[in-house]
Amino acid sequence: MKKCPECGNPSYDGAPVCGNCGYQFPKPKVVAPKKEDIFQQKPKSEKKTDDNSILTKKNKLVIGIILILTLIVICGIVFMGSNHNGNGSHSNPIIQSTSDLAEYKDGDFSFKYPNDWKKVNGSDAEHSSAVFFQNPENVTIEYYNITTNANSLKDITQQRITHAQEGGDYVELVETVTIDGRNSSNMLLENADGDYTRYVSMFSDGKLYVFKITGASENSLTSEDIESAISSSDIA
């Protein structure tokens, strides 16, 4: 119910005019319903965390880290290996295998010779303890040592020259060379029978160490394997 503001007569709420005095009631204001803002963001609902999904993510992370570390280690090994090979000559030196060499040792004297040298039977009337080798080119390498009363290697060389000339041999070369840090004698003879003989002599403390090399040509007496064996001579 509502009352007329003019006469106070009661009227029902929807009456347009007062039944007593005819007063026109004002039209009621229409209030528009409140519209929902379509731009208003709804609060996000909290998702429940699945323990299994957390464990799966952790496992994937751990596996990924392991793979990365493994890759780093492999790359490091490859790099260090290549670096070592590339700089091997600036660090530790490379030791050559001596499996293709044999060593002859007689008291305080020794030398190394190729394994393809054959130890052969030979004879030297003046030096019964001599040993004989033969290389693939059929050159005979004789080694012996003797005790001598000579005062120097020069005296020994001169005696050998005299002996060779008396036997009809031609002296082609006489020179001083260094072997094992010592002055040594190198002599080349053309024998009366057409062959060649080379004497390489070392002298120390009254003892003479001799290589006597015999072959069909000069070049065969100075081959690389023979020079290497002579150069390896060592007097302890």
Side-chain angles (χ1 to χ4, degrees):
M1 295 294 287
K2 58 182 178 180
K3 290 183 179 182
C4 176
E6 294 293 331
C7 66
N9 184 56
S11 299
Y12 62 92
D13 290 334
V17 295
C18 177
N20 181 40
C21 65
Y23 175 78
Q24 291 184 353
F25 293 108
K27 294 179 179 181
K29 294 181 179 180
V30 178
V31 179
K34 185 177 182 181
K35 296 182 180 180
E36 182 177 0
D37 188 355
I38 60 174
F39 297 103
Q40 182 179 1
Q41 295 182 354
K42 295 182 179 181
K44 295 181 180 180
S45 59
E46 295 183 0
K47 295 182 179 179
K48 292 184 179 180
T49 303
D50 188 353
D51 291 340
N52 291 331
S53 63
I54 294 176
L55 291 176
T56 302
K57 291 181 179 180
K58 287 184 178 180
N59 290 338
K60 289 182 179 179
L61 180 61
V62 171
I63 293 173
I65 293 174
I66 292 174
L67 290 175
I68 293 173
L69 292 176
T70 303
L71 182 61
I72 292 173
V73 171
I74 292 173
C75 292
I77 292 173
V78 172
F79 174 78
M80 291 299 293
S82 61
N83 189 53
H84 175 72
N85 292 334
N87 300 326
S89 61
H90 301 289
S91 52
N92 298 325
I94 301 175
I95 299 174
Q96 298 292 339
S97 172
T98 58
S99 60
D100 57 343
L101 295 176
E103 183 177 19
Y104 175 82
K105 187 172 180 63
D106 180 20
D108 58 354
F109 184 84
S110 65
F111 65 91
K112 295 178 181 179
Y113 62 93
N115 279 329
D116 59 3
W117 282 16
K118 296 182 296 184
K119 196 169 182 180
V120 296
N121 294 324
S123 62
D124 187 330
E126 297 179 357
H127 310 102
S128 58
S129 62
V131 294
F132 296 82
F133 302 89
Q134 193 172 67
N135 72 2
E137 286 73 38
N138 294 320
V139 175
T140 300
I141 302 98
E142 175 187 353
Y143 165 75
Y144 63 86
N145 65 72
I146 60 172
T147 301
T148 177
N149 294 324
N151 295 320
S152 66
L153 186 61
K154 181 179 179 181
D155 293 341
I156 295 170
T157 302
Q158 186 58 52
Q159 292 174 10
R160 183 167 289 131
I161 292 173
T162 301
H163 180 73
Q165 290 174 339
E166 290 176 352
D169 298 333
Y170 176 73
V171 179
E172 288 203 354
L173 174 68
V174 178
E175 65 178 352
T176 300
V177 295
T178 302
I179 303 173
D180 191 29
R182 308 167 190 271
N183 286 335
S184 306
S185 172
N186 181 43
M187 179 186 298
L188 179 63
L189 307 176
E190 182 179 356
N191 303 327
D193 61 4
D195 287 339
Y196 291 84
T197 301
R198 179 186 178 194
Y199 289 92
V200 179
S201 306
M202 304 171 65
F203 181 65
S204 176
D205 297 330
K207 202 166 185 178
L208 183 66
Y209 307 86
V210 181
F211 288 99
K212 182 181 178 181
I213 309 160
T214 306
S217 67
E218 294 183 36
N219 291 336
S220 66
L221 308 186
T222 57
S223 59
E224 184 177 351
D225 59 334
I226 293 175
E227 295 299 322
S228 177
I230 294 173
S231 298
S232 71
S233 300
D234 179 65
I235 301 176

